[in-house]
Amino acid sequence: MGSKYISISVIKRLPRYYRFLGILKNAGMVRISSRELADRMGLSASQIRQDLNCFGGFGQQGYGYNIESLRNEIGKILGVDAGLKTILIGAGNLGRALAVQMDFEQRGFNLIGIFDKNEALAGQVLRGLPIRPAADIEDFCKENGVEVAILCIPYNESVENIDLYMSCGIKGFWNFSHYNINEKYPRAIVENMHFNDSLMTLCYQVINAE
Amino acid sequence: MGSKYISISVIKRLPRYYRFLGILKNAGMVRISSRELADRMGLSASQIRQDLNCFGGFGQQGYGYNIESLRNEIGKILGVDAGLKTILIGAGNLGRALAVQMDFEQRGFNLIGIFDKNEALAGQVLRGLPIRPAADIEDFCKENGVEVAILCIPYNESVENIDLYMSCGIKGFWNFSHYNINEKYPRAIVENMHFNDSLMTLCYQVINAE
C-alpha cells in the first residue's frame, strides 16, 4: 500500500493523523468515525476520507476506522521504524533541547552523533552520546553512513559548511538554521523549521482578533 | 491596506515573503521581479502576484517590487511593531533556547515574564528577566495585561493549567506543549509547533528518495 504514489500535501498531513490517532489510542478508544476524527482535527470528514483512501481500506462504511490499525499503517508509510542514521550539529540551547526531549527512535531516526564547533564542550554527554568536535563530522559520516543531519547552528555556520555536509553523503536535513539549503542544492531533502514564521502568524491573528 | 480581508492561507505565507525579502535586502538588492522572487522561494510567479495584490500596488509591470517597501508593508500587516505583552512558561532547555535566541521584539512581541514551576530556578536571569515561580502567573498577568503565552511545558502541565491561562485573559498561545488547546477553547488563538510532524515528513521523504 505504501508503494502507491501519495502527493506531498497528503504526506504532510499524515503526521497529524498519526498524532491525533495516538492521543485517541492512549485515551483507550478503539474505533472512530471519519466525522468524529474530522471534528477533533478541525478538518472536513470528506477530506479525511479522501486522504485515508490514498492508502486503502481502513474504514468500513458505518463502522469507522480502527484507530490502532490505521495509526500503525500510517506509521509504516512514514517510516517510523526506518532508524535513519542521524547526527545533530550544534549543542547549544536548542540542540540540547532536541537531544534531550525528542523521541527520535519512534519517528524513524537513530541519533548516533552530536557535534559542536566549541571544543570546550567535547566529551559532555547528551542522550548518552558524547559531544564531539565539529572537525570530526566528515570522518564520522563516512565511517557510519550518516543519512540525516539536524542543523542547530547559526545561519552563517550552515552557509560555511553545507558543501562539507553534502560531500559527506547527507541526504536529509532537519534545518533550524534558516539557511535556504535548496537554493544551492535543489535536490537535498530539507525540512525547515522557521520559528519566526509561526510567531508572526500568531501576532497577526492576535492583533486582528475581534 | 491592511484593513482589507486577507485569507489565512495568504497570511501564513506572508512571514515567508518577509523572511526572503529580508535576505535580499541584507544582500543589498533594491528591486526584484515576481519571477525572480518566485524562483528563489520555490513558488510560481502568478502565486506571488496574486498574494501580493491582496494588499495593493508594490509591483509595477516591468519594474518588479521594491524590496524594502514591500518588506516594510508586509511587516506592518503582520504587526511587527505590535509589542504584544508576552510571557514564557517553562524554562527548560527549549524555553531557554527561545528566551535566548528569538528576536521577539522584531516580530511583534514584548517578552515581559518568564515562569517555571520549579522554584529552584527562581531568580535565575534569562534575557534580562528573572525566572519567576509558576504560582505567580495569575497575579502577573492581571497586573501586566499579558496577551500571549509561550508554552514550553509538557503536555500534562498544559492540560492542568489551561483554564488558569484562559482566565488570566491570555488570548494567544505559541504552543510547544502538544496539547490541543482549541479542543477545549475553540476561540483561543493558537500557533502549534509540532516538531514531530516535521521530523516524520522528513523521514518519509528520505526513505522514498530516488
Side-chain angles (χ1 to χ4, degrees), chain A:
Chain A
M1 291 182 183
S3 62
K4 201 170 119 187
Y5 175 76
I6 305 175
S7 81
I8 187 68
S9 57
V10 177
I11 294 301
K12 282 182 181 287
R13 281 194 291 273
L14 291 185
R16 203 166 151 217
Y17 287 114
Y18 191 80
R19 174 157 48 80
F20 271 88
L21 292 166
I23 293 170
L24 300 174
K25 184 186 155 207
N26 289 340
M29 287 179 64
V30 175
R31 305 192 72 82
I32 192 164
S33 68
S34 52
R35 170 148 308 282
E36 191 181 347
L37 186 58
D39 286 347
R40 285 174 181 262
M41 293 184 64
L43 294 171
S44 73
S46 75
Q47 169 85 82
I48 287 187
R49 282 192 295 267
Q50 214 178 324
D51 283 351
L52 301 185
N53 279 345
C54 285
F55 41 91
F58 296 95
Q60 269 180 287
Q61 197 73 40
Y63 287 86
Y65 298 101
N66 179 296
I67 289 166
E68 190 165 356
S69 310
L70 180 57
R71 183 169 183 271
N72 288 345
E73 189 61 27
I74 291 175
K76 261 187 246 165
I77 291 166
L78 290 172
V80 294
D81 295 326
L84 297 171
K85 287 181 187 163
T86 301
I87 59 171
L88 171 68
I89 307 177
N93 284 301
L94 179 63
R96 279 165 197 271
L98 298 178
V100 171
Q101 292 168 21
M102 294 296 301
D103 293 326
F104 291 115
E105 295 75 12
Q106 293 163 52
R107 309 294 160 175
F109 298 83
N110 181 14
L111 186 66
I112 58 172
I114 299 177
F115 297 85
D116 198 286
K117 71 171 185 181
N118 177 358
E119 304 213 350
L121 299 178
Q124 276 188 28
V125 174
L126 282 177
R127 202 189 183 101
L129 298 167
I131 301 177
R132 300 167 192 267
D136 293 354
I137 289 174
E138 187 168 5
D139 286 347
F140 186 91
C141 286
K142 291 185 174 165
E143 276 161 31
N144 294 284
V146 171
E147 299 160 279
V148 173
I150 302 169
L151 304 185
C152 294
I153 49 181
Y155 182 92
N156 287 338
E157 212 176 317
S158 284
V159 174
E160 284 161 24
N161 292 296
I162 191 65
D163 294 342
L164 170 72
Y165 303 153
M166 292 302 296
S167 77
C168 290
I170 294 171
K171 288 183 283 191
F173 295 89
W174 199 27
N175 180 24
F176 292 80
S177 77
H178 305 297
Y179 169 58
N180 181 10
I181 297 170
N182 284 137
E183 193 168 344
K184 187 161 185 186
Y185 291 103
R187 290 167 59 86
I189 299 162
V190 186
E191 273 290 312
N192 292 303
M193 293 294 283
H194 289 296
F195 288 3
N196 277 334
D197 289 9
S198 170
L199 199 54
M200 295 178 89
T201 306
L202 178 62
C203 180
Y204 176 87
Q205 293 176 283
V206 171
I207 61 179
N208 289 281
E210 257 121 288

Side-chain angles (χ1 to χ4, degrees), chain B residues 82-93:
Chain B
L84 296 171
K85 287 180 186 165
T86 301
I87 60 171
L88 170 70
I89 307 177
N93 285 302

Side-chain angles (χ1 to χ4, degrees), chain B residues 1-16:
Chain B
M1 290 181 185
S3 62
K4 201 171 120 188
Y5 176 77
I6 305 175
S7 81
I8 187 68
S9 57
V10 176
I11 294 299
K12 281 182 181 286
R13 281 193 292 272
L14 290 186
R16 204 165 151 218

Side-chain angles (χ1 to χ4, degrees), chain B residues 12-27:
Chain B
K12 281 182 181 286
R13 281 193 292 272
L14 290 186
R16 204 165 151 218
Y17 288 114
Y18 191 79
R19 175 156 48 80
F20 271 89
L21 292 166
I23 294 170
L24 300 174
K25 185 188 154 205
N26 288 341

